[in-house]
Amino acid sequence: MASGHPDPDTTPREEAPPPPRAPEPRPWWARLELGLTGLVRIVTAALLLGIVVVIAWQVTARYIPDIRVPRWTEEISLIMMVWLAMLGSGLAVRAGEHLSVDVVTRQLPKRVQLWLERLVWLGVAAFGVYLLLYGWELSQRTMLQTFSATRLPVGLMYLGIPFGGGLVAFYSLRNVFKPPVADLDVVLETAQVGGNWTVRIAMAAILLFIGAGAFAVFGVDVLMGPVGVLLGGVAVLMLLGVPIAIALGIACLATVLALDLPPLIVAQRMANGVNSTPLLAIPFFILAGLIMAEGGIATRLVEFARVLVGPIRGGLAMVNVVSSMLFGGASGSAVADVSANGSILIPMMKKKGYDADFSVGVTVASSVQGIIIPPSHNAVIYSLAAGGVSISALFLAGYVPGIMIGFALMVACYVLALRRGYPSDSRPPLLESLKVSFVAIPGLAVGLIIVGGIAFGWFTATEAAAIGTVVAFVVATVIYREMSPRKLWVATLQAVRTISIVIFLIATASAFAWLMAYLRIPTLLADGILSVSDNPILLMAMINLLLLMLGAIMDMAPLILILTPILLPIVTADPINMSAVHFGIVLLLNLGLGLTTPPVGTALFVGCAIGRIRIERASRAMVFLWPPLLVVLLLVTYFPWFVNVVPDLFGVRQ
């Protein structure tokens, strides 16, 4: 008899999903590596925060009655910074984040890329072993030397070199079997740099130009000797994809051996390069920029920019430029500017009807302001490479050129908005506009405190950067309430890796600069350039072209460190007679433009990744934005008034 219920034996039933698989236990060596990495992360984060606390205490003690300003703070900070840089370099190797020129190797077949990458990591491991052995020898030789205030052994600071070298070797060998995927690798894949004929042609043309120029300036005989070992070694290693800092170190070691000098010299010169108190400012600027990017400051500055320029035709493009002027002036980084502002404004501009290529292009072009408008850690790097040029003069000298970039781009945006029919953006009601402006003041105050403290002599550059970091943290945590403990931890770890990359690069570049002076390369280059012409206008045009070319294939920090000792003696002597501060701004502006150009423009790649467009499409949009930037470059190069007016106004010596 039929019933209203189906027969359970004949009715198909849904099978229950299988139970989730328990994750396979990691082998013991993987657990050991993860445990070591976690320990190093904690130690380096503690070292970075310890430096902030120590220098902040140094500043605070100065303004508290009856408290003696401690003399030990800078010595303790230097010890912690060297350990931070060397241990953090190992973490950067593990993450594959050390700066490299791998666009050439990306044009090779994937199988060849894989084997070449393994060889590169073996080379990095070998240099790590060198640092382990000779860093230990250097630390033991300096144990009897002591610091003046703490009486601690100098060797204690240099002991970080062998420990860091050991980590570099360990993580490099790990990467041979488990290649890392850095954030920039994802960006490059998104921008479709590999197998790209635009990139191939641009790279080939630039390398041909630079190679022909080297033979013309130095001659075959010079390049076949130690000069060729040094310069050619660096060039070949970088083209093979070796991280730039490691390429400099290996080339220095090969040159020292070719000159029959003791190998310890390279480690000694690296140690001398990081034993510098002004170098302490760089970690603070980097950490402050990351805190501001994570702590909601960029969002407030974008809203403030909408109040200022939104109603103009092409208003969101104007907002992009102005917010870059404001945020870049606080973070001091073009890439941080593109990441923070681009993630907000590129989707917003596309939604309002702006073309994707223009949205990316204006974000990338305006990011150059972040390098020029103070505070800028790249200006600090230049100051160190130039032998102690006034950081306050460099900061103040960057204001007018940076604002000129902003106005030039705004004019270009307005013209393009009229031609393409881009809309304006409505200004919020009066009360809301006042509220937005008021809320943006704490974010703007970070940069003003840093630059104002230096300009008026309240702080040194290092102290101002430390106070700026503390203020940025307070603004992001207490006022905007967007800096959670997790965000702070992420920002601190990223800061550790970035700081380590920069300082490790400064160390190897110091050895490279010493060898260039030993081999008289700046003199040879000056003689070669002056043999072409003695017209200062033509010479500066040639130098600008060289900088633009090199900026298109290398990142900014290594170029500052490599080129400053070579070019500064040329431009400050007859017939050019340019001041060191003036040349510093010209150098930063040239290399900032390089960040926006293929084939290795990091800011351009980040913008392409955010906007999800190919590099060719973004470059076509940049064709309309490069001319305003070049006009500003020419004005700043040939009319020193634009650089000198603000430092002269504040009476700062240049």
Side-chain angles (χ1 to χ4, degrees):
M1 182 178 174
S3 68
H5 299 283
D7 185 351
D9 295 328
T10 59
T11 303
R13 290 180 296 180
E14 293 184 4
E15 293 185 6
R21 252 186 178 181
E24 294 184 9
R26 290 191 177 97
W28 65 267
W29 61 83
R31 296 196 301 272
L32 179 64
E33 189 268 335
L34 285 175
L36 174 65
T37 302
L39 176 63
V40 175
R41 284 173 175 166
I42 293 171
V43 170
T44 52
L47 287 169
L48 176 56
L49 297 178
I51 296 171
V52 175
V53 170
V54 168
I55 297 297
W57 168 247
Q58 174 180 305
V59 180
T60 305
R62 185 181 303 154
Y63 296 99
I64 298 178
D66 302 325
I67 296 287
R68 186 177 179 182
V69 179
R71 295 177 56 239
W72 52 265
T73 49
E74 289 186 353
E75 294 176 0
I76 294 295
S77 297
L78 274 175
I79 294 172
M80 289 193 291
M81 186 186 67
V82 172
W83 276 84
L84 164 67
M86 295 307 302
L87 297 180
S89 292
L91 294 178
V93 166
R94 183 182 189 272
E97 290 184 341
H98 277 280
L99 300 173
S100 61
V101 181
D102 58 355
V103 176
V104 174
T105 58
R106 285 178 180 275
Q107 312 308 313
L108 301 173
K110 290 290 184 183
R111 186 177 180 83
V112 177
Q113 287 185 43
L114 179 62
W115 282 104
L116 186 58
E117 186 177 356
R118 288 173 176 170
L119 288 174
V120 165
W121 286 124
L122 287 174
V124 175
F127 190 70
V129 171
Y130 165 80
L131 293 176
L132 173 62
L133 297 176
Y134 286 93
W136 176 262
E137 181 180 343
L138 177 64
S139 66
Q140 297 310 299
R141 287 191 178 193
T142 53
M143 279 295 177
L144 297 179
Q145 303 173 23
T146 59
F147 289 102
S148 59
T150 60
R151 312 307 299 174
L152 290 172
V154 173
L156 181 63
M157 176 173 66
Y158 295 150
L159 196 59
I161 297 176
F163 276 87
L167 286 177
V168 167
F170 173 75
Y171 285 123
S172 298
L173 292 174
R174 169 194 178 272
N175 291 350
V176 172
F177 303 101
K178 187 179 179 181
V181 179
D183 292 340
L184 187 57
D185 292 327
V186 179
V187 170
L188 291 170
E189 291 298 333
T190 305
Q192 299 187 39
V193 175
N196 188 313
W197 279 106
T198 303
V199 173
R200 290 174 179 174
I201 294 170
M203 179 67 75
I206 292 171
L207 292 177
L208 183 62
F209 178 85
I210 294 173
F215 276 100
V217 170
F218 292 108
V220 177
D221 293 340
V222 172
L223 290 179
M224 294 302 291
V227 172
V229 174
L230 184 64
L231 300 182
V234 168
V236 170
L237 289 169
M238 287 196 301
L239 291 178
L240 291 175
V242 177
I244 296 171
I246 305 295
L248 291 171
I250 294 174
C252 289
L253 189 56
T255 307
V256 163
L257 294 175
L259 292 168
D260 202 24
L261 297 173
L264 183 63
I265 285 180
V266 176
Q268 286 177 327
R269 293 299 164 179
M270 287 178 62
N272 289 342
V274 296
N275 188 7
S276 170
T277 301
L279 199 62
L280 288 167
I282 294 175
F284 297 126
F285 284 131
I286 292 172
L287 180 59
L290 287 167
I291 289 174
M292 294 179 73
E294 293 283 344
I297 292 176
T299 306
R300 271 71 177 189
L301 296 181
V302 168
E303 291 300 317
F304 180 54
R306 288 183 67 187
V307 170
L308 294 178
V309 296
I312 304 173
R313 189 65 176 268
L316 271 183
M318 304 277 190
V319 169
N320 203 324
V321 175
V322 173
S323 62
S324 291
M325 190 183 298
L326 299 175
F327 180 75
S331 71
S333 169
V335 174
D337 181 11
V338 173
S339 301
N341 284 336
S343 59
I344 299 169
L345 283 166
I346 290 176
M348 189 184 298
M349 291 179 69
K350 290 163 69 174
K351 186 177 180 181
K352 290 284 186 178
Y354 291 80
D355 296 322
D357 58 346
F358 176 75
S359 303
V360 171
V362 71
T363 304
V364 171
S366 61
S367 69
V368 179
Q369 299 168 105
I371 298 161
I372 307 300
I373 296 177
S376 167
H377 66 267
N378 287 297
V380 178
I381 294 174
Y382 170 76
S383 171
L384 294 168
V389 174
S390 168
I391 294 175
S392 59
L394 283 167
F395 279 5
L396 293 174
Y399 270 116
V400 172
I403 293 170
M404 288 168 65
I405 293 171
F407 277 113
L409 289 174
M410 289 172 72
V411 171
C413 290
Y414 182 74
V415 172
L416 288 171
L418 291 177
R419 289 182 58 186
R420 300 186 180 186
Y422 293 146
S424 58
D425 193 38
S426 60
R427 178 181 282 127
L430 178 61
L431 289 178
E432 187 179 343
S433 296
L434 292 174
K435 180 182 177 182
V436 166
S437 302
F438 180 75
V439 170
I441 290 174
L444 294 170
V446 177
L448 293 176
I449 288 172
I450 294 173
V451 180
I454 296 172
F456 290 107
W458 299 334
F459 317 126
T460 66
T462 301
E463 293 171 345
I467 294 300
T469 303
V470 174
V471 172
F473 174 74
V474 171
V475 168
T477 305
V478 178
I479 299 178
Y480 295 157
R481 299 183 181 180
E482 291 195 19
M483 180 57 72
S484 63
R486 176 175 175 76
K487 283 186 175 181
L488 178 61
W489 176 247
V490 170
T492 303
L493 287 182
Q494 182 56 52
V496 164
R497 295 200 298 271
T498 305
I499 292 162
S500 303
I501 290 167
V502 172
I503 295 179
F504 190 80
L505 181 60
I506 289 172
T508 54
S510 298
F512 184 78
W514 179 83
L515 274 171
M516 284 197 299
Y518 184 86
L519 296 171
R520 299 179 62 250
I521 291 176
T523 303
L524 294 171
L525 183 62
D527 293 342
I529 290 176
L530 293 175
S531 68
V532 176
S533 173
D534 60 357
N535 185 315
I537 295 176
L538 180 59
L539 289 174
M540 280 310 303
M542 292 169 56
I543 289 172
N544 277 338
L545 181 61
L546 173 67
L547 293 174
L548 289 171
M549 288 276 190
L550 290 172
I553 62 172
M554 278 184 66
D555 206 74
M556 174 175 279
L559 279 175
I560 294 172
L561 294 164
I562 293 170
L563 294 177
T564 299
I566 297 175
L567 295 178
L568 187 61
I570 298 173
V571 299
T572 54
D574 289 330
I576 298 176
N577 294 314
M578 178 182 281
S579 74
V581 171
H582 186 189
F583 177 67
I585 300 301
V586 172
L587 177 68
L588 293 177
L589 187 48
N590 271 292
L591 301 184
L593 279 168
L595 294 177
T596 72
T597 59
V600 192
T602 313
L604 180 62
F605 293 158
V606 173
C608 289
I610 295 172
R612 299 186 179 278
I613 64 174
R614 289 173 62 93
I615 189 172
E616 297 100 327
R617 191 175 170 195
S619 297
R620 285 196 295 268
M622 290 296 298
V623 168
F624 299 99
L625 300 170
W626 282 320
L629 296 175
L630 290 172
V631 168
V632 174
L633 172 61
L634 292 175
L635 289 173
V636 171
T637 299
Y638 293 113
F639 296 94
W641 181 87
F642 294 111
V643 172
N644 297 333
V645 57
V646 178
D648 290 346
L649 186 65
F650 280 83
V652 176
R653 292 183 60 189
Q654 298 189 50

